[in-house]
Amino acid sequence: MSTLTGTLKIASDIEFFYEESGLSGLDPTTYTTVVFIHGMGFNGAVFRKLFPFGIEHNYRLVSLYRRGYGSSTPWSAKELALLQSSDDADHKEYLRLAGLQITKFLLTFAASQSIPKYVEERKTGGIILIGWSLSAVYLNAALVSLDALTAEELRDLESYLHAVVYYDTGLVAMGLPSPRPYQSFLFAPTVEERWEIFKQWISSFFAHPNVYSRDSSDLELIHPRQDKPGSLHSLTEEEIAEMTEPQMYATHDAATLGIKPEVFAALARRALFDKQYASQYLPGLKVRFVCGTESSGLFVHVVNEIRRCMDNSPSVVFGEEAEQARDLDSAYLERGNHFVFLDEPQWALAQFKAVVGH
């Protein structure tokens, strides 16, 4: 199956590059648009193996390249100054801008492509937004930026966007502490060496004593299995090069990780656990957190914490101001690691569909 590509201008000086599966074989009046956002160091090409299977679900699959990746417009000097500042207020402004640009992409894509709107009774049409790994930051930022939309834009977005899925979300992206101390695996003298270590580690498989106990001592955080090759093992160097951008890992994404956890926690609290805000901005939105049960325990722990929010109160995880606010749920995939969509794309897409009940 050939991959289709496009660029979408959301402002006079900002374009997003994207790849997609196209409309061939879909019902043009009822298909659902599923937009994927990639993580750290890996670009939108990482989702290509999903594209042939969209037709099975009447899904149009779109892989958005974040700013600075692929042909998407690089971040401006002014925007980078906000990110590289030591001021929390600047970081919040950067995140708000980044989130607003994601919502503008969704609105512009929906309008320019005349995609079907969501019909709740039939569970057809509309947009499902899926963020992988570090892109949870941008999902939260997009939700927090909704109050910057005009009333008309908000109504339009509400007629399309009906579900947001967080897959293998990192602790940093939610402002959460590690469940227990551990020795960093990224100690290396050069950026190039750290990238190689990260690339192999993040694509590995992990064996947990009990992935469902919700006890962090039952999770393997750092040490991958040595008896099972990682997800990149079967790919050629050319294939890996197509889906990776080490310079973004080392620069922009590394700077994003330098934002204080308190800023990310406040972002998550506003996006997901603010009852008054959620009642005004996409009140019917489904929010789903999902992890692979062969991913690092650092990702599984985030789903455990979301479960704790659901079973008790979000305040036990995200502070006293956090409250139940959105249609929130979580799921553990019965198998699969951080790259389940590479290893088992057909199965992975079916799992994402089941999670949102669409």
Side-chain angles (χ1 to χ4, degrees):
M1 179 182 185
S2 60
T3 298
L4 304 177
T5 64
T7 57
L8 198 65
K9 186 182 289 289
I10 65 161
S12 61
D13 56 347
I14 300 174
E15 284 187 343
F16 277 108
F17 175 75
Y18 65 91
E19 299 180 345
E20 67 153 312
S21 59
L23 294 173
S24 179
L26 303 183
D27 183 331
T29 64
T30 63
Y31 71 83
T32 298
T33 302
V34 184
V35 178
F36 290 87
I37 306 181
H38 60 85
M40 182 176 186
F42 289 83
N43 63 35
V46 77
F47 299 116
R48 286 178 186 166
K49 288 193 174 184
L50 292 167
F51 288 179
F53 305 107
I55 192 172
E56 297 179 5
H57 309 289
N58 202 27
Y59 279 178
R60 180 180 185 177
L61 306 182
V62 177
S63 180
L64 173 65
Y65 281 60
R66 293 194 281 111
R67 296 275 305 278
Y69 278 89
S71 300
S72 291
T73 303
W75 294 95
S76 69
K78 184 177 179 180
E79 291 166 326
L80 288 175
L82 293 173
L83 175 60
Q84 295 165 355
S85 167
S86 59
D87 190 329
D88 290 353
D90 287 339
H91 291 159
K92 292 174 183 178
E93 178 62 18
Y94 160 76
L95 291 168
R96 187 171 177 81
L97 287 172
L100 185 59
Q101 291 166 14
I102 298 295
T103 61
K104 293 288 188 179
F105 173 86
L106 298 179
L107 285 166
T108 307
F109 187 87
S112 64
Q113 298 291 312
S114 300
I115 71 172
K117 293 185 177 182
Y118 181 53
V119 180
E120 186 173 5
E121 295 76 16
R122 298 201 303 264
K123 298 186 184 303
T124 61
I127 296 172
I128 298 171
L129 181 61
I130 301 181
W132 171 56
S133 198
L134 180 66
S135 66
V137 167
Y138 299 93
L139 299 188
N140 286 340
L143 293 179
V144 165
S145 74
L146 297 177
D147 58 3
L149 299 177
T150 67
E152 182 180 2
E153 287 174 330
L154 184 60
R155 284 194 300 270
D156 285 345
L157 188 63
E158 191 167 7
S159 70
Y160 293 110
L161 182 60
H162 59 93
V164 176
V165 178
Y166 296 68
Y167 182 66
D168 263 11
T169 299
L171 292 166
V172 172
M174 301 298 287
L176 297 174
S178 172
R180 62 179 189 270
Y182 63 87
Q183 180 74 32
S184 173
F185 55 91
L186 285 177
F187 285 127
T190 68
V191 170
E192 291 76 16
E193 288 174 297
R194 289 195 292 274
W195 164 245
E196 289 301 319
I197 293 170
F198 172 79
K199 186 172 64 176
Q200 296 306 316
W201 179 84
I202 200 74
S203 61
S204 294
F205 290 82
F206 294 76
H208 307 287
N210 186 345
V211 77
Y212 301 109
S213 72
R214 303 197 206 174
D215 184 340
S216 64
S217 66
D218 284 331
L219 298 178
E220 175 53 61
L221 305 183
I222 296 300
H223 303 292
R225 291 175 58 173
Q226 299 301 310
D227 61 337
K228 187 173 183 178
S231 299
L232 303 182
H233 177 77
S234 62
L235 301 181
T236 66
E237 288 300 318
E238 291 74 17
E239 288 174 319
I240 294 173
E242 281 188 352
M243 65 176 63
T244 56
E245 300 194 31
Q247 75 281 6
M248 287 297 290
Y249 160 85
T251 55
H252 188 271
D253 290 345
T256 303
L257 293 180
I259 295 175
K260 290 179 182 177
E262 295 82 5
V263 173
F264 285 133
L267 192 75
R269 192 161 51 242
R270 177 72 163 168
L272 304 175
F273 303 112
D274 185 324
K275 193 171 185 178
Q276 182 177 355
Y277 181 82
S279 69
Q280 296 176 308
Y281 301 100
L282 303 186
L285 185 70
K286 290 182 178 179
V287 177
R288 302 292 182 261
F289 280 79
V290 186
C291 68
T293 47
E294 295 177 278
S295 298
S296 162
L298 296 171
F299 301 112
V300 178
H301 181 67
V302 172
V303 171
N304 287 347
E305 291 294 83
I306 294 298
R307 284 283 176 98
R308 194 151 68 101
C309 290
M310 294 161 55
D311 293 346
N312 300 283
S313 166
S315 63
V316 303
V317 177
F318 290 98
E320 62 182 22
E321 296 179 1
E323 53 190 345
Q324 300 287 357
R326 294 196 182 274
D327 178 355
L328 179 67
D329 206 348
S330 62
Y332 304 84
L333 299 189
E334 65 181 43
R335 61 180 185 268
N337 70 348
H338 203 55
F339 288 79
V340 66
F341 44 81
L342 267 183
D343 297 316
E344 298 186 78
Q346 185 176 22
W347 182 80
L349 190 59
Q351 303 315 299
F352 292 142
K353 179 180 181 180
V355 163
V356 297
H358 188 286

